[in-house]
Amino acid sequence: MSNYAVIMAGGSGTRFWPKGTVKLPKQFLKISHDTDTMLQATFRRIQDVFKSERIFVVTNALHRNEVRKQLPQLPENNIITEPVGRNTAPCIGLAGLFIKQFDEKANILVLASDHLIKDEQEFHRVIKNGLNFVKENGGIVTLGINPTGPETGYGYIQFDQDKFQEVDEDKKITERIYKVKTFAEKPDLEMAKKFIESGDFLWNSGMFIFRLDTMMEEMKMNMPDLYESLEMLEEKMMSKHFDKVLNEVYHKIKSVSIDYGVMEKSTNVHTIKSDFGWNDVGAWDEVFNISEKNGGGNVTKGPTKSIDSKNNMVISEGKFTALIGVEDLLVVDTEHGLLICKRGESQKVKEIVDHLKKNNLDQYL
């Protein structure tokens, strides 16, 4: 029984326009690091726990070559290409088929390619405890994040404070792994405040640890249509016609998240209360929050100058950008477009991308 990791790298990154584009979405950009892209940082972060040959990356056909370019140390056969995006449940199921060829009871960590984790040593400790737990007990472990406030941009996990098991992988810190009561979608502010006040809710990081046979059985019970499609694909895994069959089957698969398809229905889900400096960096506002500020509270990248301006972020590629007498702006200037956005409103960047798509303005995407 061995440990594997699956990095999901199929996101479109629509909230990071104009720097994030169809060809280079968020996971392939240097957003939280000056030297590494988000994907490279994610891969490097888990190499202390997983061997390179046991790390798989799931992406789409458009970005396969970019993954190879950014991760030359990853075996080419470990890049799994989806013909079309179908959300996280099919993504995890497909990766499971590839890993099943090596170990039917593999312990698997699934994580996104575009999240920030500051305390990597603590992250390693937590995932080792999670891997040890599922190895011995089966079930599914989700990494819940200790909330620092009533955040409305994250889903939540409610756990049972009286039902837990203890593991002690490193013989130093005893880890309590709690039974999950329920999952909650992104709440409004008032509901988020109630979640925090209750003391038994965590942010949903979207990272999961499970034993492969456990997840496949959960999919069989809770997502029979997907499981049937995976069985069809498994029959053709070693066939020269696999890519053709994959394309046909995937276009018929429903787009379903693993949260909705499995996690919310399973009675065998657990969570670890985690605190390793996690941030999903979901929009430009988060980039401002995590970036180093200068004396005026500004974040600047590229040739810029600010006069009597504070608490702004300016990312300028190629052109000189000047701000005078303004506050709380996000300014991103690239060859694809210019974004000027009030801080706190960057989630709406997706609406700009939708507008460009609907009006066939693909040259700006």
Side-chain angles (χ1 to χ4, degrees):
M1 193 180 294
S2 46
N3 297 331
Y4 289 79
V6 175
I7 300 175
M8 298 183 292
S12 59
T14 54
R15 290 182 176 85
F16 281 85
W17 185 88
K19 191 170 178 65
T21 63
V22 172
K23 290 184 179 180
L24 281 179
K26 170 188 170 187
Q27 61 269 29
F28 301 115
L29 303 177
K30 295 177 181 178
I31 289 180
S32 60
H33 299 80
D34 292 330
T35 56
D36 289 342
T37 67
M38 300 293 280
L39 174 63
Q40 290 170 330
T42 301
F43 184 84
R44 174 190 50 75
R45 184 183 302 132
I46 62 174
Q47 277 190 296
D48 287 345
V49 181
F50 303 89
K51 298 177 181 179
S52 294
E53 60 268 25
R54 291 181 179 172
I55 299 174
F56 286 78
V57 176
V58 185
T59 190
N60 55 57
L62 178 63
H63 298 133
R64 182 182 180 86
N65 288 338
E66 188 64 30
V67 172
R68 290 184 63 187
K69 175 183 175 183
Q70 294 199 9
L71 301 178
Q73 65 274 59
L74 181 72
E76 184 176 352
N77 289 337
N78 286 29
I79 303 174
I80 302 171
T81 305
E82 293 181 294
V84 62
R86 284 294 182 261
N87 215 315
T88 52
C91 170
I92 292 170
L94 180 62
L97 294 185
F98 280 79
I99 295 173
K100 190 177 179 181
Q101 296 178 86
F102 305 99
D103 189 343
E104 293 185 354
K105 294 185 178 181
N107 308 308
I108 300 175
L109 166 71
V110 174
L111 69 167
S113 59
D114 54 3
H115 290 178
L116 171 68
I117 291 174
K118 293 182 179 179
D119 190 341
E120 296 188 2
Q121 185 175 352
E122 174 66 6
F123 175 63
H124 294 160
R125 189 191 69 80
V126 168
I127 61 176
K128 286 177 182 178
N129 281 338
L131 289 166
N132 187 57
F133 178 86
V134 299
K135 175 183 177 181
E136 299 297 329
N137 302 281
I140 302 171
V141 170
T142 178
L143 304 189
I145 307 299
N146 279 313
T148 57
E151 175 62 53
T152 60
Y154 300 146
Y156 283 74
I157 302 165
Q158 185 181 28
F159 64 96
D160 192 327
Q161 301 183 73
D162 299 321
K163 293 183 179 180
F164 59 86
Q165 292 178 247
E166 293 185 340
V167 296
D168 191 12
E169 193 275 339
D170 62 4
K171 307 303 180 184
K172 294 179 181 178
I173 301 175
T174 299
E175 190 85 77
R176 287 186 174 184
I177 300 185
Y178 294 87
K179 188 81 171 178
V180 169
K181 283 184 177 181
T182 188
F183 288 81
E185 297 297 325
K186 297 176 182 179
D188 59 27
L189 183 58
E190 288 305 312
M191 184 58 69
K193 289 179 179 178
K194 291 180 180 179
F195 286 170
I196 301 302
E197 290 169 0
S198 72
D200 60 353
F201 277 86
L202 305 171
W203 290 339
N204 185 355
S205 72
M207 289 184 279
F208 312 101
I209 300 171
F210 52 83
R211 215 168 66 194
L212 180 54
D213 57 337
T214 299
M215 179 56 74
M216 288 302 183
E217 188 62 30
E218 290 284 355
M219 288 184 172
K220 184 178 181 179
M221 289 189 299
N222 298 308
M223 304 185 71
D225 291 346
L226 174 60
Y227 185 80
E228 183 178 336
S229 296
L230 294 174
E231 284 190 311
M232 293 172 59
L233 292 175
E234 187 174 12
E235 291 176 1
K236 301 294 183 180
M237 285 291 289
M238 307 308 295
S239 167
K240 64 180 180 180
H241 303 297
F242 176 72
D243 288 342
K244 179 182 178 182
V245 176
L246 176 64
N247 186 65
E248 293 174 352
V249 170
Y250 236 73
H251 277 84
K252 297 177 182 177
I253 289 177
K254 294 179 181 178
S255 178
V256 183
S257 72
I258 194 69
D259 280 1
Y260 180 78
V262 172
M263 307 299 283
E264 294 178 7
K265 299 172 183 176
S266 174
T267 59
N268 198 16
V269 182
H270 310 264
T271 190
I272 300 177
K273 296 171 65 175
S274 308
D275 190 7
F276 38 68
W278 172 86
N279 191 311
D280 77 343
V281 199
W284 284 120
D285 277 297
E286 288 303 316
V287 178
F288 174 85
N289 292 337
I290 65 175
S291 298
E292 184 177 350
K293 281 78 173 176
N294 62 25
N298 297 307
V299 175
T300 58
K301 296 182 181 181
T304 65
K305 175 64 176 178
S306 296
I307 299 174
D308 297 329
S309 299
K310 60 182 181 180
N311 302 326
N312 302 292
M313 183 178 74
V314 185
I315 297 177
S316 183
E317 296 184 354
K319 287 177 285 185
F320 183 87
T321 301
L323 298 186
I324 301 175
V326 295
E327 299 180 12
D328 299 321
L329 292 182
L330 305 171
V331 180
V332 184
D333 191 8
T334 75
E335 63 177 310
H336 298 286
L338 169 63
L339 170 69
I340 303 173
C341 175
K342 183 179 179 181
R343 280 183 48 217
E345 300 286 338
S346 63
Q347 290 286 343
K348 296 179 181 178
V349 170
K350 185 179 182 297
E351 297 177 22
I352 300 298
V353 175
D354 291 340
H355 168 81
L356 295 174
K357 289 179 178 178
K358 289 177 182 178
N359 289 277
N360 298 316
L361 297 171
D362 295 345
Q363 68 268 33
Y364 302 117
L365 294 171

